[in-house]
Amino acid sequence: MAIVDVTIYGAGIFGLSVAWSCVKRGAKVRVIDPGGVGAGSSGGLVGALAPHVPERWNAKKAFQFDSLIMAEEYWAEVEAVSGLPSGYGRTGRLQPIADERLLALAHDRKTEAATLWQGKAMWEVRPVSDFPDWAPDSPTGYLIHDTLTARMNPRLAAQALAGALQAKGGAVVSDGDEEGHVVWATGWQGLLTLSQELGKPVGNGVKGQSALLQHAAADMPQLFADSLHIIPHANGTVAIGSTSEREFDDPTSCDAALDDVIARARAACPAIADAPVIERWAGVRPRAKSRAPMLGAYPGRPGHFIANGGFKIGFGMGPKVGEVMADLILEGRRTIPEDFRVAASL
């Protein structure tokens, strides 16, 4: 067997994105995950690729913006190489505006977005009547509509990335030897292991429960209402979620907390009031102590690296995370923002 340049533990969005960027630069890559592709939180339902608000700009927001702008071309290439759909669509997002103060703030952010988003996407204030039969209730009668937000079908996207990787000669296996540079993209359990090794908490897991409803609204923008994501997917379903549970006994169980999410989503979006629930899902997402992705060299392990902590934003950050990690692993170039480096969570 040919020598492997990069071994990656974890076939979630960060592991696969790093693998894809490395393969495109000519590296021989092996991804190892005993659970298979998207076995952890990357196998969820929601798939909201949503930006931060366009104000108080910082490195994290700029990084996320770059990644979201990259996404359309990125996923088109993945689909072309793999022959598999990713579920990607830049369909935008609607958010209700609760009162006059927030309405004024939404107008201010429109001005900020015109500069910060470089004309590549818009943040608008629009009347509810512009979106008949889909808009959420809004006390002011107005909505925030941004054209940067996109949707992603997490399971399809992970399989498409794995397929593209294999089409380019990479391997995705359940077991294998460590060769070359080693990347640990092992999710929340990897954060717990790292905390034990270093003798200090560097991150943990936050459980999320979500649901999938049968309702065709593929061309509609996603909604963010009552702190919930409501995502119409291209396959005639709508995903809703999720809870954020710091304490849990069973990482994969669904309970009354999800019933509450479903009820709130139906109230916020009357269009899905009678849509049947076809799947319930629960999983644990990795949250680094810094609340930003944890990217860089693994402390005390030369030649080893960490790509973890994509809490809620993993798929949105994935394209850019893959690039900056490939810069570091293959070329020794440090293009990772300071706030994303491993030290920020130590």
Side-chain angles (χ1 to χ4, degrees), residues 191-344:
L191 292 178
L192 296 182
T193 297
L194 183 60
S195 296
Q196 291 173 347
E197 290 180 5
L198 299 179
K200 63 176 71 174
V202 300
N204 53 29
V206 179
K207 181 179 175 179
Q209 299 184 50
S210 58
L212 195 66
L213 279 59
Q214 191 72 57
H215 181 80
D219 296 329
M220 291 292 102
Q222 62 184 263
L223 311 179
F224 185 69
D226 194 11
S227 300
L228 297 174
H229 295 283
I230 303 171
I231 318 294
H233 286 295
N235 61 0
T237 63
V238 173
I240 57 174
S242 63
T243 64
S244 290
E245 304 167 48
R246 298 287 187 88
E247 297 182 4
F248 50 88
D249 295 321
D250 184 345
T252 61
S253 66
C254 296
D255 54 32
L258 181 55
D259 294 334
D260 177 64
V261 164
I262 295 169
R264 287 162 51 205
R266 293 190 192 281
C269 180
I272 62 171
D274 298 317
V277 177
I278 58 175
E279 184 177 352
R280 296 168 181 256
W281 180 90
V284 182
R285 298 153 298 176
R287 181 185 182 277
K289 185 177 179 181
S290 67
R291 300 190 66 181
M294 181 189 289
L295 310 173
Y298 197 122
R301 294 195 188 185
H304 289 233
F305 302 87
I306 296 170
N308 207 331
F311 178 56
K312 293 187 177 182
I313 55 174
F315 278 91
M317 293 284 206
K320 185 77 170 178
V321 165
E323 291 298 304
V324 299
M325 287 300 293
D327 288 344
L328 178 63
I329 296 163
L330 300 180
E331 302 175 25
R333 293 192 295 122
R334 288 173 171 79
T335 55
I336 300 168
E338 290 286 347
D339 289 348
F340 289 17
R341 296 181 183 181
V342 174

Side-chain angles (χ1 to χ4, degrees), residues 5-98:
D5 300 311
V6 183
T7 300
I8 297 174
Y9 288 105
I13 182 57
F14 275 10
L16 293 170
S17 294
V18 174
W20 177 236
S21 292
C22 289
V23 161
K24 290 202 296 178
R25 299 189 194 192
K28 295 181 175 66
V29 178
R30 178 188 295 137
V31 179
I32 301 172
D33 195 319
V37 174
S41 59
S42 294
L45 301 173
V46 179
L49 312 187
H52 292 283
V53 293
E55 65 179 11
R56 295 193 294 273
W57 211 236
N58 56 34
K60 181 178 181 179
K61 291 184 178 184
F63 187 101
Q64 186 195 45
F65 173 79
D66 289 345
S67 194
L68 291 173
I69 290 297
M70 290 170 60
E72 191 163 11
E73 183 176 333
Y74 180 93
W75 290 107
E77 181 183 17
V78 167
E79 290 179 344
V81 174
S82 68
L84 298 171
S86 68
Y88 177 83
R90 191 168 148 187
T91 51
R93 175 180 59 172
L94 303 176
Q95 302 178 72
I97 303 174

Side-chain angles (χ1 to χ4, degrees), residues 97-104 139-140:
I97 303 174
D99 55 41
E100 293 301 317
R101 181 187 67 82
L102 293 174
L103 181 60
T140 59

